[in-house]
Amino acid sequence: MPEQHAFPFLREILLFLTLAGILIPILQRLRINQVLGFLAVGAVLGPFGLGLIARDLPWLSYLTFPRAEGVVALAELGVLFLMFMIGLELSAARLWALRRWVFGAGTLQVCVSACIIGVIVYLSGQRLETAVVLGFVLALSSTAVVMQLVSERNAAHTPLGQASFSILMLQDLAVVPLLILIGVLGKDASDGLAALVLVTMAKASAAIALIYLVGGRLVRPLFRAFARNRQPDVFMALILLTTLGIAALSAAAGLSMALGALIAGLLLAETEFRHEVELMIEPFKGLLMGLFFMTVGMGMDVRQVQGAPFWLAGVVLGLFAIKAAVLAVLFRIGGLNWGRALEGGLLLGQGGEFAFIVIAYATTRKLVDPALGQLVMLAVGLSLFITPMVAKAGRALGDKLERDDDEKSAQLSDSELAQARGRIIIAGFGRVGQLLARLLTDQGIAYVAFENDARLVSKLHAQGLPVYFGNASRAELLRRVHAEEAPAIVLTMDHPASALHAVRGIRREFPDVPLFARSRDERHAHALKLGGATVVVPETLEASLQLSAFVLEALGIDEAAVDRIVDDERELFAATLADTKHPSH
């Protein structure tokens, strides 16, 4: 007779907490994606893994999850908070700042990918409803996996990182109409599908708008009234109340609870409490996501790989091929070069975590056959597993194509090549690079500039400016303009990781050329100095010194005294930076 507890599923909860406490630090130390780690553990220890033999070996039941229902309730809580955290990231200001990528490229990616995949599913003999659902589901990518890979490479602020994040934001938003659409398709559409879709969408939109408006009127005053003293227990209680309360309202309106949790996150993202909420839930973020993905892993029956190995391989490879092609074209149209565009396409080519939520929901609505749903979820899971390898290959391919582009771009005419010799080289021609170029031109000093934004290069080159497409950290490109004879190389690029990579590459190839670099902050400045930069100027330091000077002058301090104070601070920082020596020095 199985052991009974007053607290349901106590053994499963204790096992999960034990695994999470061991897994998370191990995965972090080994730099293994946590999502993949939890998926793998769920698959191995779940009811389709070692749980299968737990009946014959009773002691094994204490180390496995032989019953999936033992963690389903907790997993549903994990889904709610996963949606809540995504909503917290989707503030209106952030969406508007990236609107071109979010609503332009993101919408096109979802629609085009969904159409292509949906047509293939329909032609394979599935129902139209099934094709529509699977087309949209498989058009989505994994925010959790992709953003962790981007963060590990310190590429979140690069053009590719920003574009990838923008498209992922639109995909997260697309889950809302997708869940509503499944609810529509799951009803009897004998009286006309179009009319039913319009009516249900109108009702759902009205319900969402009402929840959002009423919630907005209540949430901010609620937090202001009860979180005034910033007591952690009160604050956490309010977060739980907001998330679960709005999720319950959403369910009462006939929508999914996951959608309500997303709305709760969106509401709090618009308040002044957003950052404090993020800090409060940060310790639970990895735990709740781990819970969700471990449960997903438990639902993956790896034995099905033996039954349909070629089908699964074809789905996974086809998914990457279709989405990578669509995304690469959109990234290229958006201004990225072909190398980075293909890298981005492969980075976002996998299925997303929402597939497990949406397919399970569609299965209960009888829109997707359970056996087909299991195979598709397994294919999505396998695509998540191979994403780090595919992303690494994509990066290598992107680097090679970028090198080839740089070599072609470096084929300057003889006259241009002769003029470039002995000029100052500017790497990066954004606002800082353009200002520097204008000042140099005013002083009659010649320069040659390189920039990665193809559209900007075309525009400026057409104006007669000596700006060329290319990555100035590439030795092949710099040799073409005889960088060893340059009076100086100036790095003005905006992305910390790119600047550090460029400094190291330039210093390795041209050890004697003066190298001036712009840094984001003091920490970045020390890294650039250590990498070999001759002089580093932190933009935050200069902005702070200028602001301080204005404040001191406003207080009546003599201008000469203010200049002396600011110069002393600048020299103090320069002295500190001078202690940072490049290893080769």
Side-chain angles (χ1 to χ4, degrees):
M1 181 175 179
E3 185 178 357
Q4 298 293 324
H5 295 283
F7 194 82
F9 308 120
L10 177 62
R11 186 187 59 77
E12 287 85 353
I13 294 171
L14 290 174
L15 178 57
F16 166 72
L17 291 174
T18 302
L19 288 171
I22 296 172
L23 266 182
I24 291 176
I26 290 177
L27 293 174
Q28 288 176 340
R29 179 170 295 181
L30 298 177
R31 295 186 176 182
I32 297 173
N33 190 284
Q34 290 185 24
V35 172
L36 305 184
F38 280 112
L39 279 173
V41 169
V44 171
L45 301 183
F48 299 111
L50 293 178
L52 285 171
I53 59 176
R55 297 173 185 172
D56 300 325
L57 301 172
W59 61 269
L60 196 59
S61 64
Y62 293 98
L63 302 175
T64 60
F65 298 91
R67 298 177 300 153
E69 63 271 17
V71 288
V72 166
L74 284 175
E76 290 177 356
L77 190 64
V79 170
L80 292 182
F81 277 92
L82 177 65
M83 296 292 286
F84 172 77
M85 289 182 287
I86 288 171
L88 207 57
E89 291 285 331
L90 298 174
S91 67
R94 199 167 191 183
L95 287 171
W96 183 250
L98 298 169
R99 58 191 178 278
R100 184 172 67 92
W101 279 109
V102 175
F103 299 109
T107 302
L108 282 172
Q109 184 275 322
V110 170
C111 293
V112 174
S113 299
C115 287
I116 296 173
I117 296 169
V119 168
I120 293 173
V121 173
Y122 182 70
L123 293 177
S124 69
Q126 298 297 327
R127 291 183 298 154
L128 177 60
E129 295 86 348
T130 302
V132 170
V133 171
L134 293 183
F136 277 105
V137 165
L138 295 177
L140 308 182
S141 305
S142 173
T143 302
V145 173
V146 171
M147 291 314 298
Q148 185 165 341
L149 290 173
V150 169
S151 298
E152 287 172 357
R153 289 193 275 180
N154 296 318
H157 297 287
T158 64
L160 177 58
Q162 289 288 314
S164 299
F165 176 73
S166 301
I167 288 176
L168 289 169
M169 278 203 292
L170 189 281
Q171 291 181 357
D172 293 339
L173 285 174
V175 175
V176 175
L178 181 55
L179 291 173
I180 297 172
L181 179 63
I182 290 174
V184 173
L185 295 176
K187 296 178 180 178
D188 183 11
S190 58
D191 294 333
L193 180 60
L196 184 60
V197 168
L198 289 175
V199 171
T200 307
M201 285 287 188
K203 289 181 178 178
S205 300
I208 292 172
L210 184 62
I211 292 171
Y212 193 83
L213 291 173
V214 174
R217 297 278 184 180
L218 294 176
V219 168
R220 194 188 298 262
L222 187 69
F223 272 75
R224 282 178 176 171
F226 294 100
R228 193 171 299 164
N229 297 325
R230 299 296 195 270
Q231 292 176 274
D233 50 350
V234 174
F235 211 77
M236 179 55 74
L238 288 175
I239 294 171
L240 292 172
L241 174 62
T242 302
T243 306
L244 299 178
I246 295 178
L249 285 175
S250 179
L255 304 171
S256 71
M257 291 185 68
L259 177 56
L262 180 69
I263 294 172
L266 287 168
L267 285 171
L268 283 176
E270 300 301 324
T271 70
E272 64 269 30
F273 301 100
R274 173 188 173 181
H275 297 294
E276 195 151 357
V277 171
E278 288 178 336
L279 290 174
M280 186 65 69
I281 65 172
E282 185 64 31
F284 306 98
K285 186 176 179 180
L287 191 64
L288 290 169
M289 286 185 63
L291 177 62
F292 168 68
F293 284 108
M294 188 180 289
T295 310
V296 167
M298 292 177 199
M300 293 169 54
D301 190 351
V302 185
R303 295 173 301 173
Q304 291 181 323
V305 175
Q306 296 178 341
F310 297 109
W311 187 92
L312 285 167
V315 170
V316 173
L317 294 177
L319 186 63
F320 270 100
I322 292 169
K323 293 174 69 175
V326 172
L327 283 159
V329 171
L330 292 174
F331 282 140
R332 184 69 185 93
I333 293 172
L336 300 182
N337 60 55
W338 274 116
R340 299 283 75 87
L342 285 172
E343 178 189 352
L346 291 170
L347 179 65
L348 275 73
Q350 73 292 123
E353 54 268 8
F354 286 122
F356 303 108
I357 301 171
V358 176
I359 291 177
Y361 183 43
T363 301
T364 61
R365 293 278 178 162
K366 303 189 185 308
L367 293 174
V368 177
D369 181 73
L372 176 62
Q374 279 288 333
L375 282 172
V376 172
M377 285 195 285
L378 182 57
V380 171
L382 292 174
S383 74
L384 292 174
F385 275 116
I386 68 171
T387 292
M389 291 182 293
V390 173
K392 188 175 182 180
R395 190 178 187 186
L397 176 63
D399 288 344
K400 183 181 185 305
L401 290 175
E402 193 173 59
R403 276 196 301 272
D404 293 342
D405 286 343
D406 286 345
E407 289 172 2
K408 291 177 183 177
S409 300
Q411 302 303 316
L412 308 177
S413 65
D414 291 340
S415 59
E416 289 174 329
L417 196 58
Q419 291 174 0
R421 195 167 199 151
R423 292 187 177 191
I424 286 180
I425 298 173
I426 302 176
F429 212 69
R431 53 188 175 84
V432 177
Q434 291 178 37
L435 176 60
L436 172 62
R438 188 161 61 248
L439 293 175
L440 291 174
T441 302
D442 291 344
Q443 300 303 315
I445 301 173
Y447 69 90
V448 61
F450 294 100
E451 168 60 45
N452 275 327
D453 189 334
R455 291 191 301 177
L456 180 62
V457 170
S458 299
K459 176 183 175 182
L460 295 174
H461 197 70
Q463 296 174 8
L465 296 178
V467 183
Y468 302 94
F469 178 79
N471 186 343
S473 66
R474 303 288 187 191
E476 302 90 350
L477 187 61
L478 293 176
R479 289 196 194 99
R480 291 288 299 171
V481 294
H482 304 284
E484 68 279 0
E485 300 178 18
I489 299 176
V490 186
L491 299 179
T492 67
M493 51 189 62
D494 188 41
H495 309 107
S498 301
L500 183 57
H501 176 69
V503 164
R504 290 170 176 167
I506 292 170
R507 184 52 72 213
R508 184 170 57 248
E509 296 294 331
F510 308 100
D512 299 323
V513 176
L515 180 56
F516 301 88
R518 161 204 180 192
S519 72
R520 177 69 60 84
D521 49 35
E522 294 185 24
R523 183 178 179 182
H524 186 216
H526 284 282
L528 292 175
K529 187 69 176 178
L530 190 63
T534 309
V535 175
V536 181
V537 179
E539 59 183 29
T540 52
L541 175 68
E542 288 302 315
S544 300
L545 290 176
Q546 290 293 325
L547 183 61
S548 300
F550 285 125
V551 172
L552 292 175
E553 288 178 12
L555 294 175
I557 300 178
D558 180 71
E559 185 177 348
V562 171
D563 290 341
R564 186 172 61 255
I565 293 170
V566 170
D567 287 341
D568 288 345
E569 286 296 321
R570 192 178 282 116
E571 289 173 6
L572 179 63
F573 174 77
T576 304
L577 202 60
D579 293 334
T580 305
K581 299 294 185 181
H582 184 252
S584 62
H585 290 176

